[in-house]
Every structure is written in structure tokens, then in C-alpha cells.
Amino acid sequence: MSIHGVSRRTLLKAGAAGLASTALPLGAIRSAQAAGVTVGAVYVGPRDDFGWNQAHAVAMEILKGVDNVTVIEEENVPETDAVAKSMESMINLDGANLILATSFGYYKPFVLDLAAKYPDVQFRHAAPLWNADTDPKNAGSYFCYLNQAHYVDGVAAGLSTTTNKIGFVAAKPIPSVLSNINSVLLGARSVNPDATVQVIFTGEWSMPVREAEAANALADAGCDVLTCHVDGPKVVIETAETRGVKSCGHNASQAPLAPKGFITGAEYKWETIYTMYAEKLAAGEELPNFVAGGYHNDMVRNTPFGAGATPEAIAAAEAAIEGLKAEKPIYVGPLKDNKGNVVIDKTYDNYDPVLDGMNYLLEGVSGSIT
Amino acid sequence: MTAVTTDTPVRLTDSTKFRAWAEAVAIPVGALVVSALIFSIFLIFLGKSPVDYFQLLWKGGFGTSFSIQNTLQRAAPLILCGLAFAIPAQIGLTMIGAEGALVLGGFSAAAIAIPLVTGGVPVVLTMPLMAIAAMIAGGAWIAIVGWLRHARGVNETISSLLMTYIAIAIMNFFVEGLLRDPGSANKPSTMPIGKDYMVGTIPGTDVHWGLLAGLILAVVLQLLMNRTTFGFAARVTGGNARAALAQGLPVGRLVVACTAIAGACAGLAGYFEVAAIHGQANASLVAGYGFTGILISFLARHNPIVVVPVAVMFGAIAASGGLIQRRMDMPDATALVLQGIIFVVLLTSETLYGRFAIFQQKAGADRT
């Protein structure tokens, strides 16, 4: 009871303060509902993290320019029941027609439960988790093979390094991270057979102190190009720049953070998917349940080359991009892991599901996943 | 907590009690109002309307039945974490490790569920066993903090904070290794306990039973701390540990007991996170509830029953946060600014107790 009283008094006092300053747009709460399509995006971190969340926010910003599309966003939503309530609030209070749940842990149980509860609303989740047999038909997944852009990073890094050592700060030893590490190695090896990759796992998606320590340790170990797969690569790129070593980015553009040493970076191009969703919704068409892709269908890109890229690196990287657009395979077998076992028996297509279960580091990568 | 100091024994009259009560209400409420005013100035500097802000806060927190359920659901873990700070605070400890106990409690519940669920143990048995495992794990974890404090003189604030990181590391170690569900490739988690073993919602609402558990515990702990010899002894120890020792009170046992109770509360919050929300243990358990509980307990002046409305207020701030972000184009950090202002103003207001004549007993009056 007392809490209602408190809030009401708080409200009145604040209201009085607001009235006193006449310059304010009183009561002008704009309605987020408009004719057309309302797309709501939920992010697990801040929109300006130079990483995963920023990559989505950049795409949503582009979506704002599409006719008849209203964009609503919410940042820093944890992977708890908070996200269920955030999505429900977008549906109930803002009339969202499509919810984009951008963090891995949002899917189960939150997206699944809400999709069942709101069959008229479309839910799409940014990881390949949707199962046609068990999951609601108004839910779905979209996913980009970022390892293709990391392969290009590797090519450029392989020709920009002088020590032949590339450092990689990684979050967790899970398949999507391992695939990026291995792709950097294969990219670098494709142009520089002496190139190696050294990995340090921080164990967390976002642990800036440990990321800085890892970046410093890799620089100390003689790596003269650093790259990473963590939620926000800002710390790694900045540390590389202050240490005077070159860097390749991840998720979004980190070029402004390293004016001297930035080579290129692996970036998502979510706007390809988001614009397609919005246009289909506006036209009353069904949304595909599962969308995945890479370079061949314009879903990833590399950051424009920075001062750290040598002319040879730029030429080779551009050639590699053309190759990937033509679906040239990255994993050309047979390949051994760094313990000597053959883990890739033959050449696999870049989208082969076999590669989604990757649980090894290839020969040439020093580091351990256990 | 006598409001009178005198050499002769006195009986507290209704008037004295009322004055003390009025002071305990007026000062925090005043602090909230001042916080709201400071925050309004902050908003005006940002070019945003405080009126819009507080209207949306109301709408998103209490304005619709959906909003109220949203608020209460978010308040559920916060009540338990607020209690986890409040009980050690009564015995004079600044124990900030509820987050670790929550994580470890939730993990233990999920871990013990694996053999129970695969072994086909009935739901009626599995559920309480999971909850008990969570409370024991959380309780034992924080009891270590109390024991270190009493037996080794280790500062409980530092040890409980550091132990939070150890607790999270322990969970990660098992979740990413021994107890990892093979199906959870890109988000390491324990085996899902399955729908049948999940805690449901309070009928007619979306709110899980953790809210009721928090309410009951708040009442029980309020009675324990204020109506029993245990609570009295604990509060005496909190007032002056040396005096308590001199009186022959079992200070060590009291400290360990209070920290164990605190850990059990946080562990129970972890149980509900696993059994009512996630269905498995993973990194999502680390959501910061334990740290928000510190703020809530301070706002409630470490008063178990008052933790409940304060937690509801924080639930409302969180519940309306999304709406405010979307409608006012403000970053999520705005809510943190509000919480920070409330915290600082509130701590400052602690110095005001006893300074207002109106709340003090007049000299010579009301004495028998």
C-alpha cells in the first residue's frame, strides 16, 4: 500500500517541477503505433557497444528509413523473464507485428512461449535454433555465417603480419567461436603458409578486464595482429592500438577505434534480412521461418580497409571476397586438429551442417578448448 | 531501538512509538521525493519531460493489469535478495554476496534435479528437494562468509563479493563441463528439468510462486528478528558486538546463523529462477538481482517486511524501463541514474534521524 502512496506523491512533485518549466512538451507522449508494420528489436546489451548489439542497431536504423515501418527498440534486456515481459510489452502497448530477439538465450523458453501465446505476432531469433517439427510456425531463426568474413580477416592479416603470429581473443569454446578462429587461420594460411593463430579464451561473453589482459598477453607473445570474438570488441581493438599492433574487427565496425592499425573486420549485414522481413510483412506475405547466409547472399561484409592493411593484403582480401561470393569452400579437407587427429575428412560446403558442430581447433592454432 | 535515553527505566508510550514510526516513514519518503526532484532536473537537462517520464513509469509499472504483473514478477527475486542483505545487516554485517548464493542455489537445484528427474522421482518430492538443495547451497556458501568474519576476522564485504565470482566460476565450470547438456551447444546449460517439474504461476496471473515465497519469508523473518530472543540477540550483536560478547551471547553462532539465513534466501531466489523461469542452470542466472537487493535493503532500512514494497517499487522501475526507452528514446542507463540518485540521497538521509524536533519526545513529557 505505502508504495502506491509514495509513487503518487513522487509523481505529483515531479509534475509540479515539470509544470514550472514551461518550455517542456507537456504530456506529449508520442504513440509508437502507426499505420503499417511495427518491428520491435530487443538487445541484450547497449546499442553502442561496438559489437553484436550495435550490428543489430545499425540495421534497425536502416529499417527506420523503410516506408510504413515503425521501429521500436529496447537495450540491456537480460536473458531472464525480463525479456519475455519486454517483448510482451512491445506487443501489448506498442502493437508490434514482428519481434526480433537478438540474443541467443532469448529463444528458449521465452520466444517459444510467447510465440505460442501470441499466434498473430511473428517472432524471429538471431541464431539457428528454430525446429520445424517442434517450434511454433510464427517463430523462426535467422543467422549469418560470420566466419566467411573472418576468413577474409585472416587473408588480410596473413599478409599484414611480419611475425606470422595472429592473436585471437575468444569468449567461449563453442562451435560458432571455434569456426571463426579456424577460418582466420585458414584465411591466413591461404596466402601465408607460415601464419599461426594463438588463442586465449576469456570464458565470458563480456569481461573487459580479462579481454585487455588477453590482448596484452598475445601482444607480449609476439602477435602483431589481434582479432577477437567477444560481445564488444572495443577493448581488444583499443588495446591493440595502444600496443602498436594491428587489428581485425568483429561484429560491427571498430575502424574508428584504431586509426593506425586497423586492417578490416568481420561484420554482420543484418539489414539485408530485416528489410526483407519488413517488406514482406508490409506486402502481407509470409515470412520465411529460417534464413541463413553469408557472402553469396549479402548477409555479411568486411569493414572498409584501414591504415593497417598492406596493398597486397587488400588485393588478396578482395579476391577472397569474390571467391566467397561464388561459394568457394573455406574448409578444404582433409584437415587435422592441433592434436594431430583428422577432424575434417573432405572438403565441405561453407553451409554444411557438419561444420556447425565444430569442437576443435585446427593445426596451426595454438590454444586449448578444454 | 528505544527512542529515549535515561537512567531510569521508562515505558514507551503510544506517542513516542508513533513519533518514531512517523520518522521512519517520513525520512525515506522525503528522500524519495528529493530523488525524484533531482532526477527531474537531470531529465530537463537532457531535454526530456519529467511529466512524461513519471507518467510512463506509472503506466509501465502499475497502469494496466499487464504492467502490475510485470512489476510483481520482477519484484519476486528482488524481495528474496533484499532479505539476503537485510538479515546480516541487522547483525552488523555488510554482506553483498547474494548474487553468488543465488547462482549457486539455482545451479544446485538444477544439478540435483538431473538424477531426480531421470530417476523418475515424483514431482511432489523433486520440487521441495530442489528448493532445499538451493537453500542449503546458498546458505552454506554465505555461512562461510559469516564464519570467516567471526573466526578469522575477514572483512565480510570483501569476502562475500569475491566469493560471488567464485560461485559464478563454479557454476560455469560444471555447466560447461561435467553437467553440460549435449543439446546446449552454443549456450552451455544443464539438462532441462522439463515442464512437469517447473513451478507454475499463481492462478489468474503470470507471476510465479516465488513472489509468495518472498512475502512469507519477509513476514517470518520480520517476526524472527523482532519477536524472538534470537532476533533480539542478533540485533544486540549488531549494535555492539563486544557488549554482546560480554553479555555472554553466542556471537559466533548468531553471525553464522544470520549469514546462513541470508544465503538460503538468495539460494531460494536461485531455485525459482531455475524452476519457474529457465528450467535449467546457465549463465542467465547471473542477472544482477543480488546486487539490486543491496539497494533495496538499504531503502527498507534493513527491515524485512519493508523490503517487500521497496522491491515492488524497483520491479516497477524495471518493468517500465522498456516502455520509457521506446517512447522517450532514452538509453536504458536512465533507470540506473534514477536508482543511483535514490541510493545516494537515501544514504545521506540516514544522517537526518534524530534531527527533527517534531519526531523527538519532548523533554519531561510522556514519562511515567
Side-chain angles (χ1 to χ4, degrees):
Chain A
M1 269 315 289
S2 69
I3 202 64
H4 287 73
V6 168
S7 293
R8 209 168 283 141
R9 283 185 66 174
T10 311
L11 203 72
L12 289 171
K13 288 274 186 177
L19 283 164
S21 107
T22 48
L24 291 166
L26 289 183
I29 302 174
R30 76 178 160 81
S31 168
Q33 266 169 302
V37 177
T38 300
V39 183
V42 194
Y43 314 122
V44 75
R47 266 172 287 189
D48 51 357
D49 65 351
F50 282 99
W52 174 262
N53 300 295
Q54 182 167 329
H56 289 282
V58 164
M60 292 303 280
E61 204 57 42
I62 292 168
L63 197 55
K64 283 180 189 168
V66 178
D67 287 342
N68 292 328
V69 175
T70 308
V71 168
I72 49 177
E73 300 170 275
E74 211 174 309
E75 62 179 351
N76 283 330
V77 180
E79 294 175 343
T80 65
D81 51 346
V83 69
K85 289 297 173 193
S86 285
M87 295 189 289
E88 220 172 341
S89 167
M90 286 178 165
I91 297 165
N92 283 335
L93 303 177
D94 289 337
N97 314 96
L98 167 64
I99 300 281
L100 300 169
T102 66
S103 189
F104 194 89
Y106 290 166
Y107 192 67
K108 206 175 125 186
F110 310 113
V111 166
L112 289 178
D113 288 352
L114 278 191
K117 187 169 173 185
Y118 294 95
D120 297 334
V121 179
Q122 293 293 320
F123 296 80
R124 291 296 179 273
H125 176 253
L129 295 176
W130 185 76
N131 182 326
D133 300 326
T134 56
D135 295 351
K137 299 292 173 239
N138 57 328
S141 295
Y142 58 97
F143 182 67
C144 305
Y145 283 79
L146 193 66
N147 74 304
Q148 298 183 10
H150 268 293
Y151 178 83
V152 178
D153 278 0
V155 171
L159 290 177
S160 302
T161 171
T162 52
T163 62
N164 293 329
K165 286 183 183 170
I166 300 164
F168 200 115
V169 180
K172 294 186 185 234
I174 59 168
S176 62
V177 178
L178 298 174
S179 175
N180 286 338
I181 299 169
N182 291 330
S183 296
V184 168
L185 175 88
L186 293 173
R189 285 263 165 112
S190 72
V191 292
N192 177 354
D194 297 327
T196 58
V197 174
Q198 300 201 357
V199 183
I200 295 179
F201 290 100
T202 62
E204 297 291 337
W205 287 111
S206 181
M207 183 68 85
V209 174
R210 224 177 275 165
E211 287 156 19
E213 285 170 2
N216 275 314
L218 290 167
D220 291 341
C223 298
D224 66 347
V225 178
L226 295 187
T227 186
C228 60
H229 182 162
V230 293
D231 265 3
K234 185 168 186 255
V235 171
V236 173
I237 306 297
E238 283 181 338
T239 307
E241 185 78 352
T242 48
R243 289 292 305 258
V245 301
K246 295 180 177 180
S247 52
C248 289
H250 173 75
N251 277 345
S253 171
Q254 289 96 38
L257 300 174
K260 291 203 291 276
F262 195 75
I263 299 173
T264 180
E267 281 189 51
Y268 289 102
K269 205 171 173 188
W270 299 116
E271 60 262 35
T272 307
I273 301 172
Y274 292 177
T275 314
M276 176 270 288
Y277 281 158
E279 283 167 352
K280 278 193 186 297
L281 268 186
E285 294 172 35
E286 294 241 323
L287 296 190
N289 286 104
F290 203 96
V291 180
Y295 254 116
H296 86 280
N297 54 359
D298 199 27
M299 290 189 185
V300 298
R301 69 183 147 214
N302 275 81
T303 316
F305 297 98
T310 61
E312 307 83 69
I314 294 174
E318 281 172 348
I321 290 172
E322 290 312 311
L324 289 166
K325 283 183 178 166
E327 303 199 51
K328 187 182 166 197
I330 293 172
Y331 291 94
V332 179
L335 292 168
K336 287 180 181 171
D337 70 5
N338 61 5
K339 293 175 193 132
N341 311 312
V342 175
V343 284
I344 294 184
D345 52 341
K346 60 184 178 78
T347 299
Y348 284 100
D349 179 79
N350 287 337
Y351 303 102
D352 197 298
V354 167
L355 300 172
D356 294 341
M358 194 169 280
N359 59 353
Y360 42 80
L361 292 166
L362 292 176
E363 183 195 357
V365 181
S366 49
S368 168
I369 59 171
T370 46
Chain B
M1 292 261 273
T2 52
V4 213
T5 48
T6 168
D7 295 328
T8 51
V10 295
R11 197 161 56 85
L12 292 179
T13 63
D14 286 347
S15 157
T16 317
K17 272 188 189 168
F18 177 75
R19 282 167 196 272
W21 180 84
E23 183 179 39
V25 171
I27 290 182
V29 170
L32 280 179
V33 172
V34 171
S35 307
L37 287 175
I38 296 174
F39 186 67
S40 300
I41 294 168
F42 169 77
L43 288 175
I44 291 166
F45 270 108
L46 282 182
K48 306 286 181 185
S49 156
V51 181
D52 285 359
Y53 184 90
F54 288 103
Q55 274 180 359
L56 285 172
L57 186 65
W58 180 260
K59 185 179 176 190
F62 304 102
T64 66
S65 116
F66 166 76
S67 304
I68 292 172
Q69 293 182 35
N70 191 352
T71 294
L72 292 178
Q73 183 171 331
R74 288 169 197 260
L78 297 179
I79 293 173
L80 290 165
C81 289
L83 294 174
F85 186 89
I87 302 304
Q90 297 229 359
I91 201 166
L93 299 182
T94 309
M95 199 294 292
I96 59 175
E99 184 84 358
L102 184 154
V103 167
L104 216 55
F107 166 69
S108 303
I112 197 176
I114 296 171
L116 294 176
V117 171
T118 48
V121 177
V123 174
V124 283
L125 223 64
T126 302
M127 274 190 177
L129 282 174
M130 282 173 68
I132 289 166
M135 291 174 78
I136 290 176
W141 189 250
I142 301 301
I144 296 173
V145 172
W147 180 81
L148 282 172
R149 166 76 208 198
H150 179 71
R152 313 300 319 154
V154 178
N155 180 305
E156 78 282 358
T157 312
I158 307 290
S159 68
S160 59
L161 177 65
L162 295 183
M163 281 177 64
T164 298
Y165 297 114
I166 301 175
I168 294 169
I170 290 175
M171 179 195 69
N172 282 338
F173 175 78
F174 283 106
V175 164
E176 290 173 14
L178 201 60
L179 296 180
R180 178 172 177 169
D181 176 38
S184 63
N186 275 322
K187 183 172 188 183
S189 309
T190 58
M191 187 193 83
I193 60 175
K195 280 253 185 303
D196 294 346
Y197 292 85
M198 301 274 291
V199 173
T201 53
I202 299 171
T205 72
D206 270 354
V207 188
H208 64 74
W209 289 101
L211 179 73
L212 192 70
L215 285 175
I216 292 171
L217 263 176
V219 172
V220 168
L221 291 175
Q222 178 78 17
L223 294 175
L224 178 74
M225 297 315 280
N226 294 293
R227 291 279 185 273
T228 66
T229 47
F230 171 85
F232 180 71
R235 285 185 291 118
V236 168
T237 308
N240 187 332
R242 276 191 201 168
L245 271 176
Q247 288 294 323
L249 290 175
V251 171
R253 261 184 281 161
L254 288 167
V255 165
V256 171
C258 283
T259 46
I261 291 171
C265 290
L268 191 64
Y271 163 73
F272 282 108
E273 287 303 296
V274 165
I277 294 164
H278 299 293
Q280 56 192 173
N282 55 39
S284 297
L285 287 178
V286 188
Y289 297 136
F291 295 115
T292 310
I294 300 168
L295 190 47
I296 289 168
S297 179
F298 265 102
L299 203 48
R301 303 198 74 220
H302 316 312
N303 207 324
I305 204 79
V306 185
V307 160
V308 175
V310 178
V312 170
M313 184 181 75
F314 275 79
I317 292 177
S320 59
L323 191 65
I324 288 163
Q325 273 191 52
R326 302 198 303 269
R327 295 285 173 86
M328 294 182 76
D329 281 331
M330 295 207 300
D332 169 65
T334 324
L336 287 180
V337 173
L338 176 59
Q339 289 186 12
I341 291 173
I342 291 176
F343 195 52
V344 171
V345 172
L346 203 89
L347 284 183
T348 313
S349 76
E350 288 279 312
T351 61
L352 295 177
Y353 285 88
R355 298 220 175 180
F356 295 108
I358 189 170
F359 298 128
Q360 306 309 312
Q361 190 183 32
K362 290 183 189 69
D366 290 339
R367 292 193 184 174
T368 49

